[in-house]
Amino acid sequence: MNDPTWFDNPAITQQMLPATIETLLMTLWSTGLAVLIGLPLGIWLFTTSKGGLKARPALHRMLSLIVDITRSIPFIILIIALIPFARFVVGSALGWQATVVSLTIGAIPFYARLVENSLREVSEGKVEAALMMGASNGQVIRQVFVPEAKPGLIGAATVTSVTLVSYTAMAGAVGGGGLGALAISYGYQRYQADTMLACIIVLVIIVALIQFIGDRLARVVDHR
C-alpha cells in the first residue's frame, strides 16, 4: 500500500497551516522587536561615527565591534548558544516563542547596520540647513534624518524580515517549530518529498509577499 501524499498526507493537510502560522509569528515578532531596538542602535552608530552629529570615535569603534561580532556568528550556532537565555526569558527552549528570542538578538545588529547605512544617504545640504536654522541634534534626527531615510529604513526592515524567514527554517533543526521543523521532521527524516516541496513553496510565497509589501510601502513614503 502506497503512503498517502499531498492532499491525503496528514503532515500537509493537518500540520501545514499551524506550522505556517508559527513561521509568520516568529517572523513578525522578531522583525518588530529588531526594528524597535535596532533603529535607535543604528542611529547611535551613525551619530557617533566620524563626521556624525556627536562624533565619538572610541565609542563608535566599540559599538561597531559588538555589532560585527554578533553579526559574524552563524545563526544556527547563535540559537544553540542562546538556549539557556531563551529558557530564562520565555520559560522553554522549544517552540516558536523561544525562537523569537534568538531571532531578535541575531537581527538587531543586522538591522542596526542597515539603518546606519541608510542614514548616510541623507543629503548633507538638508542637515546643514536644519542646523543653521538652530535645530538641535535630536530635532535633526527626528525631523530630517529619519523622515528622509524612511524608504531606506523600510527597505532595511524588508531585507531583515526576509532574512529572518530563512532563519526560522534553520531554527526548526533545534525544536524551533514552524515550517522548518515540519520540513525536517517529515520531509527529511521520513522521506516525504511532498511535505518538503510544500514547505518550500509556502516559504517562497511568504518571502515574495514580504518583499512585495516592503517595496510598496517604500514607494509610498518616498517623496524625493
Side-chain angles (χ1 to χ4, degrees):
M1 183 176 178
N2 295 329
D3 292 332
T5 56
W6 291 106
F7 295 112
D8 293 325
N9 185 349
I12 294 176
T13 58
Q14 299 176 17
Q15 300 189 47
M16 183 63 68
L17 180 59
T20 302
I21 293 173
E22 287 183 354
T23 294
L24 291 174
L25 287 172
M26 282 188 273
T27 305
L28 291 173
W29 270 100
S30 52
T31 300
L33 291 170
V35 170
L36 189 67
I37 303 171
L39 178 60
L41 177 58
I43 293 173
W44 197 15
L45 275 167
F46 174 71
T47 54
T48 57
S49 64
K50 184 179 180 181
L53 292 173
K54 294 182 70 174
R56 294 182 180 176
L59 177 60
H60 179 74
R61 283 196 294 272
M62 186 188 71
L63 290 173
S64 291
L65 181 64
I66 295 171
V67 166
D68 290 340
I69 288 174
T70 311
R71 289 175 62 206
S72 65
I73 302 173
F75 180 70
I76 191 68
I77 296 174
L78 182 67
I79 192 172
I80 293 171
L82 290 173
I83 284 176
F85 182 67
R87 185 184 293 115
F88 170 76
V89 174
V90 300
S92 173
L94 302 175
W96 70 268
Q97 295 92 339
T99 303
V100 167
V101 176
S102 303
L103 288 173
T104 302
I105 292 175
I108 287 172
F110 181 78
Y111 183 69
R113 191 62 87 185
L114 293 178
V115 168
E116 183 188 14
N117 292 335
S118 296
L119 295 177
R120 292 191 188 284
E121 296 177 0
V122 175
S123 166
E124 291 183 5
K126 293 183 178 181
V127 176
E128 291 173 357
L131 291 171
M132 289 177 65
M133 293 172 66
S136 65
N137 288 343
Q139 289 172 322
V140 172
I141 291 170
R142 291 192 301 272
Q143 299 174 13
V144 179
F145 274 114
V146 173
E148 289 294 322
K150 202 177 290 182
L153 298 178
I154 292 175
T158 304
V159 171
T160 303
S161 186
V162 169
T163 303
L164 286 171
V165 172
S166 64
Y167 283 1
T168 65
M170 278 191 276
V174 290
L179 290 166
L182 187 65
I184 292 170
S185 298
Y186 290 87
Y188 175 65
Q189 295 176 343
R190 303 185 189 186
Y191 307 106
Q192 293 185 5
D194 54 337
T195 303
M196 179 67 82
L197 184 57
C199 290
I200 292 172
I201 291 172
V202 175
L203 286 169
V204 169
I205 292 172
I206 290 174
V207 168
L209 283 174
I210 291 172
Q211 191 65 57
F212 174 77
I213 294 171
D215 290 345
R216 293 284 294 178
L217 285 175
R219 279 199 292 269
V220 167
V221 302
D222 190 356
H223 302 299
R224 291 173 291 184

